[in-house]
Amino acid sequence: GETSAVRTTLQAREKELMADRAQIEDLRAQIEVARKEIKGLRQTVQDMQGEMQNAKEALCSMEAQAGEKEADIASMTALVGKHEGSVAHSKAEQEKTRKAMIQLSTSLSQLQAELEAKSNENEQVKAMCAELIASQEELV
C-alpha cells in the first residue's frame, strides 16, 4: 500500500510539473508577444520622431522665409519712403521755381513800366528840344 501511495503522490507531482511547464510555456509566449509589441512601439516612436524632425525643419524653413519676406517688406517700405521724400523734394523745388518765375514776371513788368516812363520822358525831352530849336530859329 505504501508503494501505491508513493506512486499516487508521484503522479500528482508529475501532473503539477506538467501544469507548471505549460504555464511557463504560456508565459514565454506572452513575453515574446510583449517583446514584439515593445519593438513595434519603439519603431512607432522612431517614426514619430522622424516626422517631428521633418516638421521642425519645415517650420524652420517657413520661419526663414517669413524673415526674408519681412526683410523684403522693410526694404520696400524704405524705398517707398525714399520716393515719397523725392516727390516731396521735387514739389518743393517746383514751388520755389514757380515763386521765382512770378518774381521774375513782376520784376519784368516793373522794368517795362520804368522803360515806358523813361521813353515818355525822352519824348518830352525831345519835344522840349524841338521847341527850343524852333524858338531859337525864330530868334535868328
Side-chain angles (χ1 to χ4, degrees):
E2 210 176 298
T3 310
S4 169
V6 170
R7 201 177 279 146
T8 306
T9 304
L10 279 175
Q11 283 175 347
R13 266 277 177 227
E14 208 171 316
K15 276 185 183 176
E16 282 176 28
L17 275 174
M18 299 257 294
D20 284 349
R21 280 193 189 128
Q23 212 173 2
I24 287 169
E25 284 307 310
D26 188 45
L27 286 171
R28 280 192 180 139
Q30 286 179 25
I31 287 169
E32 197 52 40
V33 167
R35 280 191 179 137
K36 283 179 183 172
E37 285 176 6
I38 288 169
K39 198 174 178 184
L41 287 171
R42 284 197 176 128
Q43 187 58 50
T44 303
V45 166
Q46 280 182 345
D47 292 348
M48 287 177 152
Q49 283 173 339
E51 286 170 21
M52 280 172 62
Q53 187 58 37
N54 290 343
K56 274 183 191 171
E57 286 168 12
L59 273 173
C60 287
S61 165
M62 286 177 196
E63 279 177 19
Q65 285 176 355
E68 286 170 17
K69 293 278 183 230
E70 282 172 348
D72 287 349
I73 288 170
S75 113
M76 285 180 208
T77 304
L79 268 177
V80 166
K82 212 172 172 185
H83 286 312
E84 284 174 346
S86 295
V87 167
H89 182 71
S90 293
K91 282 184 177 174
E93 289 297 313
Q94 277 182 335
E95 189 56 24
K96 273 188 204 170
T97 305
R98 193 183 68 79
K99 285 180 180 174
M101 296 281 280
I102 290 170
Q103 261 184 327
L104 274 174
S105 179
T106 305
S107 296
L108 273 172
S109 295
Q110 285 173 346
L111 281 172
Q112 211 166 358
E114 284 176 31
L115 194 70
E116 280 179 35
K118 290 280 182 209
S119 183
N120 288 341
E121 252 180 61
N122 283 348
E123 290 301 316
Q124 287 173 349
V125 168
K126 277 183 191 172
M128 288 191 338
C129 284
E131 280 175 38
L132 271 173
I133 290 169
S135 67
Q136 279 210 331
E137 282 175 358
E138 283 174 25
L139 290 176
V140 171

